[in-house]
Amino acid sequence: MSRYLQSKCIDINSAYCPCILADTNHCVFCAHLQGKEMCDCNWSGVCILYEKKWNARNETLVTRDPRPELACPIVERKFLRENICRLVLTVPPPLAEQLKAPGSYVFLKRAVDPHYFQLPIGVMQVPAEDKIVVVLETVGPKSRQVTEEDQMLMVRGPYKNGIFGLPWIEKLVYGKVLLLAGGMGQPPALPIAERLINNYNKVTAIIAPGAAGFINVEELQLAGVELLQVKSLRRMGYACLADKLRADTWDLLVSCGPDAQHFAVIDAVREAGVELPIAATNNSIMCCGEGICGSCAKETADHHFVRTCKMQLDFADLKHL
Amino acid sequence: MNHVIVAGGGWSGCAAALAAAKAGARVTLFERTDMLLGTGLVGGIFRNNGRFTAAEELMALGAGELFRVMDENARHKNVEFPGHRHASLYDVTKIEPAVRRLLLSRGIDLHFKNSAIDVVMAGKTITAVLAADGSVVRGDAVVDTTGTFGPMGNCLKYGNGCAMCILRCPAFGPRVSITRKAGIPERYGVKQDGTIGAMSGSCKLHKDSLSKEIAVELEEKGVAVIPLPAHLVKKTCLSQKACVQYALDAFAENLVLLDTGHAKLMTPFFQLDRLREVPGLENARFEDPYAGGMANSIRYMALAPRDNSLKVPGVDNLYCGGEKTGTVVGHTEAIVTGTLAGHNAVRGWLGREPLILPPHLAIGDFISFVGEQMKSDEGRSVRYTFAGAGYFARMKERGLYSVNPEEIREKTGSLGLTDVFACKLQ
């Protein structure tokens, strides 16, 4: 598999493109829709300027909110620990279907709260055609409000860019994958592992309870992942990773967890002297999910700012903090 | 042995690849689509007016292979049509495989459906080219022959939209300028009215859709001139064309068709229902562009700065050919510039002085004259070709136009340049 990953917008080729950014001349992809004079895009099979031209003929497409908020009943709420809550929600089947893709996330809030209480949260499972499972940690006011509700939540979605390096995960078949997940990195690891195993890949995971202090063994085991449980990634996990990298050849490495973990993984891979694509969960602070607010912007090694709610890129290309 | 990477497999890229291989380099050519020749796949006119001289000069300079392939695949020779003499028309349905065989026989490594999309730089030197398939190919010199047309966004913004032309961007992806990727700002051509770009100047009709009389005339003479009904004569559209040599009143008052395998129609586009009002064209349909009833490709979107050796200033090992060198028109123009660029790419790597063709030759004069013109806005609003308009007049004025191959060979010899492109450089 090629180590090279073309950076592209996650919404291209979907019903959500062209988006509001194209209207304001801030499209992350099309040079014309950035106000430039000449074509200069990373071709992705579709001309966004053209899409915009045809969409403009259909006013409803432009004016309606493509991802409206929906009232969704809570069917199950379970506290895995004092501050870790597992929610099962009933959502419309078309939305659930779209949330099956690894890296999918939604915004949640209580009906009574204002819009700035919307909490971005990754989807861990889609167990039925109208059900989604999320696991969240209460860390601040938004997550606290959401976990206090037991009847109904407002759901906005689907949003897609929860993982950097998604094309690698989607393309790999009959490969060998090493997955690292610490603490709250475990919920997003599940759909990734399921997708990989579905494509006949062998997945070995090193998992640790992390700061959140919980372990999600059963579901990963059920999915068919070979598990290596450690008490701490920092103290034992990275050494274990280095051993694995030396002992075997791998096609892909997936890091699910905080950015510090991703950087440690990148360093370990470099130290082991292997060339390997590394997919990593996107931990940016998402506020609007639409590329407008800029809270998720990150700097790349070559000093560009990218809106990570929209842009697929190689995590290793981000500025190493 | 050094490695020359050619980006773009149009006429110019093919010429650059051949010239570099003959000069002793290993050559890799990246072509975005599944066929060589680019717009040459729907072109066909050569040896008309001053292009005859340029073709013979290049043969005398030792790089006549591509013209010989064209001659061998000519459907018609010595054709006359308004404003043009001694034209040859190659068969667009046969030429591509013939050129492909020629390039393969010279050991050129051809990569189809894979374009060069970026470069790796070390200071001011390109060390490698990144291909669309993700591979990184190291090279010692790069020739940018990616052209200046489209892609779709530009055709939409500066033209009437994607006309589904032979360049087939939606299927194979857009043109990517290597010069721009190397960090060199580019210029663009303008129309007389100051707007950006120019529309390709001809479209092709399916020959079987024409009346029997026209088909027979085309088959026999290579050309059919059909007077337009008065209400269809529109002179204004000529100024939008890329091909100035056909922007004559005769082309506005008549429909000029040439037999290149298809029936080449010398106008950028022609509304289909209007076209079908012309006697003999009642059933006409377009062969290229498929939407030739509404648009054609937009060109001159990415002109590279360059010197008379066709090196791009600002990068140590980047050369350019074809339309990248200026607002030039035609296969002959592409081949002569591509040949010089490919040859000089090898000279540059060897540390030798670049070859600059003297103004005593039409090719040398053309390259330096166009280079000078590209520096001004007025200059970029004009199209240049050996076949007509301003530059052909200049050729005649300066005594550069000749239809005598023997005379051209002698002149080349007296300049000490005979077979200069045929010799392997050490």
Side-chain angles (χ1 to χ4, degrees):
Chain A
M1 198 162 51
S2 170
R3 170 75 180 71
Y4 171 73
L5 184 76
Q6 212 176 39
S7 65
K8 73 169 246 197
C9 178
I10 194 78
D11 285 332
I12 287 180
N13 279 321
S14 81
Y16 306 103
C17 174
C19 67
I20 317 161
L21 295 179
D23 290 336
T24 62
N25 261 4
H26 291 88
C27 178
V28 294
F29 207 73
C30 169
H32 290 295
L33 293 171
Q34 293 165 1
K36 292 179 185 154
E37 243 166 2
M38 296 288 163
C39 280
D40 187 20
C41 75
N42 280 333
W43 182 244
S44 189
V46 64
C47 175
I48 298 168
L49 195 64
Y50 245 101
E51 293 293 308
K52 189 162 158 50
K53 178 195 163 185
W54 288 105
N55 280 2
R57 298 189 173 196
N58 186 347
E59 239 184 332
T60 55
L61 273 175
V62 184
T63 48
R64 80 182 158 88
D65 180 0
R67 289 182 261 232
E69 248 181 24
L70 304 167
C72 298
I74 297 172
V75 286
E76 193 187 313
R77 184 177 66 153
K78 189 174 153 194
F79 283 88
L80 305 176
R81 293 183 75 89
E82 191 189 345
N83 60 337
I84 309 279
C85 177
R86 183 179 188 274
L87 289 174
V88 183
L89 293 153
T90 301
V91 300
L95 177 59
E97 181 61 35
Q98 295 195 70
L99 293 171
K100 281 180 180 170
S104 297
Y105 64 99
V106 290
F107 284 92
L108 301 179
K109 77 170 187 66
R110 302 189 310 174
V112 292
D113 291 329
H115 66 91
Y116 46 77
F117 271 78
Q118 282 178 341
L119 170 77
I121 191 76
V123 174
M124 183 173 81
Q125 252 182 328
V126 182
E129 65 163 14
D130 64 343
K131 298 280 183 293
I132 62 168
V133 181
V134 297
V135 173
L136 50 121
E137 184 183 13
T138 50
V139 287
K142 295 200 287 192
S143 44
R144 171 59 53 85
Q145 299 291 75
V146 167
T147 51
E148 278 179 2
E149 173 67 45
D150 63 355
Q151 293 298 309
M152 189 265 282
L153 286 169
M154 303 305 289
V155 178
R156 185 159 63 90
Y159 293 88
K160 295 280 187 182
N161 210 32
I163 303 163
F164 294 122
L166 191 60
W168 290 323
I169 292 166
E170 285 177 335
K171 276 182 202 155
L172 189 65
V173 284
Y174 298 108
K176 284 180 70 179
V177 184
L178 193 54
L179 188 152
L180 255 88
M184 286 305 287
Q186 296 168 85
L190 186 62
I192 298 173
E194 280 175 344
R195 168 60 64 96
L196 285 166
I197 287 164
N198 222 3
N199 286 347
Y200 312 102
N201 298 293
K202 191 170 173 289
V203 181
T204 304
I206 303 172
I207 63 167
F214 90 108
I215 279 279
N216 187 30
V217 184
E218 297 105 63
E219 274 146 336
L220 282 170
Q221 262 171 343
L222 268 178
V225 177
E226 186 196 327
L227 281 179
L228 266 163
Q229 217 172 305
V230 294
K231 286 216 173 80
S232 157
L233 280 182
R234 201 172 306 137
R235 278 182 280 120
M236 297 131 83
Y238 300 141
C240 180
L241 168 67
D243 288 345
K244 287 272 166 202
L245 287 173
R246 267 193 295 274
D248 218 333
T249 52
W250 302 89
D251 298 299
L252 175 67
L253 211 156
V254 184
S255 175
C256 299
D259 283 358
Q261 176 188 319
H262 302 336
F263 288 124
V265 167
I266 291 169
D267 289 343
V269 169
R270 274 185 198 147
E271 239 162 73
V274 284
E275 271 279 310
L276 190 63
I278 303 170
T281 49
N282 180 356
N283 299 303
S284 307
I285 296 163
M286 306 289 185
C287 273
C288 70
E290 303 283 353
I292 302 294
C293 71
S295 66
C296 65
K298 285 206 169 150
E299 193 179 356
T300 61
D302 53 357
H303 310 296
H304 288 98
F305 279 91
V306 288
R307 291 170 166 85
T308 58
C309 66
K310 287 275 183 187
M311 287 298 279
Q312 262 298 310
L313 48 85
D314 186 345
F315 184 84
D317 290 342
L318 286 176
K319 198 171 166 187
H320 203 333
L321 297 170
Chain B
M1 189 154 107
N2 74 333
H3 183 202
V4 172
I5 296 172
V6 179
W11 272 121
S12 180
C14 292
L18 274 175
K22 280 159 64 177
R26 179 164 78 86
V27 181
T28 303
L29 185 150
F30 285 101
E31 165 54 36
R32 194 174 54 88
T33 74
D34 53 2
M35 285 189 279
L36 294 172
L37 301 190
T39 47
L41 287 163
V42 290
I45 309 172
F46 66 110
R47 288 190 180 274
N48 49 332
N49 295 349
R51 284 180 183 157
F52 188 97
T53 314
E56 289 297 331
E57 279 183 6
L58 201 67
M59 286 175 153
L61 291 165
E65 294 91 336
L66 292 173
F67 286 110
R68 276 191 281 277
V69 174
M70 286 194 212
D71 285 334
E72 283 158 16
N73 288 280
R75 286 180 71 88
H76 303 278
K77 290 182 178 173
N78 217 357
V79 176
E80 305 223 346
F81 57 96
H84 294 257
R85 301 180 61 198
H86 47 77
S88 290
L89 306 173
Y90 67 69
D91 191 332
V92 295
T93 63
K94 300 208 169 78
I95 192 85
E96 197 272 343
V99 174
R100 191 186 290 220
R101 281 192 292 272
L102 171 66
L103 264 59
L104 289 172
S105 75
R106 301 297 170 95
I108 292 160
D109 187 13
L110 299 176
H111 291 249
F112 288 99
K113 292 185 273 183
N114 195 8
S115 47
I117 57 167
D118 210 345
V119 292
V120 182
M121 306 275 295
K124 287 181 168 182
T125 306
I126 299 175
T127 57
V129 160
L130 181 65
D133 68 358
S135 57
V136 179
V137 182
R138 297 197 162 277
D140 300 307
V142 179
V143 185
D144 183 353
T145 48
T146 53
T148 67
F149 68 86
M152 295 142 74
N154 287 340
C155 290
L156 180 60
K157 191 165 172 180
Y158 303 117
N160 296 351
C162 173
M164 312 215 303
C165 70
I166 189 66
L167 299 166
R168 298 168 291 165
C169 306
F172 295 106
R175 165 183 66 78
V176 177
S177 165
I178 290 304
T179 305
R180 183 205 280 251
K181 293 291 171 191
I184 304 299
E186 293 181 310
R187 297 185 284 231
Y188 46 76
V190 289
K191 300 184 201 78
Q192 294 290 349
D193 63 6
T195 54
I196 291 174
M199 204 174 265
S200 293
S202 73
C203 41
K204 290 91 212 160
L205 299 173
H206 202 301
K207 261 203 306 190
D208 290 345
S209 73
L210 309 177
S211 73
K212 209 171 194 176
E213 293 72 31
I214 297 176
V216 168
E217 197 179 348
L218 279 175
E219 205 68 37
E220 282 172 2
K221 296 192 211 152
V223 56
V225 180
I226 308 156
L228 278 174
H231 68 287
L232 291 181
V233 176
K234 265 191 288 181
K235 294 189 181 178
T236 48
C237 79
L238 290 174
S239 67
Q240 294 178 19
K241 300 184 36 150
C243 308
V244 275
Q245 71 274 33
Y246 310 120
L248 307 168
D249 285 350
F251 287 89
E253 288 155 8
N254 298 290
L255 212 59
V256 180
L257 296 177
L258 299 174
D259 176 24
T260 62
H262 307 313
K264 192 174 171 80
L265 172 62
M266 309 308 285
T267 178
F269 62 96
F270 209 117
Q271 216 179 310
L272 187 66
D273 43 4
R274 292 276 97 82
L275 185 67
R276 287 180 173 178
E277 288 169 17
V278 178
L281 274 72
E282 291 83 359
N283 302 315
R285 56 165 285 180
F286 284 97
E287 188 67 25
D288 171 81
Y290 274 126
M294 61 158 245
N296 210 322
S297 58
I298 296 292
R299 325 188 70 93
Y300 309 130
M301 299 279 104
L303 308 170
R306 49 84 173 177
D307 60 21
N308 290 339
S309 73
L310 300 184
K311 188 183 157 302
V312 177
V315 182
D316 296 335
N317 57 348
L318 178 61
Y319 299 79
C320 68
E323 281 180 15
K324 300 270 343 165
T325 65
T327 51
V328 300
V329 184
H331 319 321
T332 306
E333 292 74 1
I335 291 169
V336 298
T337 51
T339 301
L340 184 63
H343 181 80
N344 276 333
V346 182
R347 280 183 179 250
W349 185 76
L350 291 169
R352 305 243 310 238
E353 279 292 302
L355 176 66
I356 294 175
L357 295 171
H360 312 86
L361 291 176
I363 300 174
D365 182 61
F366 181 77
I367 289 173
S368 63
F369 176 72
V370 172
E372 202 49 47
Q373 298 304 305
M374 285 307 103
K375 291 173 184 163
S376 72
D377 285 349
E378 292 95 329
R380 289 195 301 280
S381 73
V382 177
R383 318 286 163 245
Y384 305 90
T385 165
F386 298 111
Y391 187 75
F392 183 42
R394 178 182 160 101
M395 265 179 91
K396 287 190 279 195
E397 226 169 75
R398 305 200 155 213
L400 295 167
Y401 171 53
S402 164
V403 286
N404 181 349
E406 193 50 48
E407 183 193 336
I408 292 167
R409 268 196 296 278
E410 269 173 32
K411 184 157 88 173
T412 311
S414 69
L415 292 164
L417 291 171
T418 301
D419 286 341
V420 67
F421 289 127
C423 306
K424 191 171 168 181
L425 301 169
Q426 294 299 323

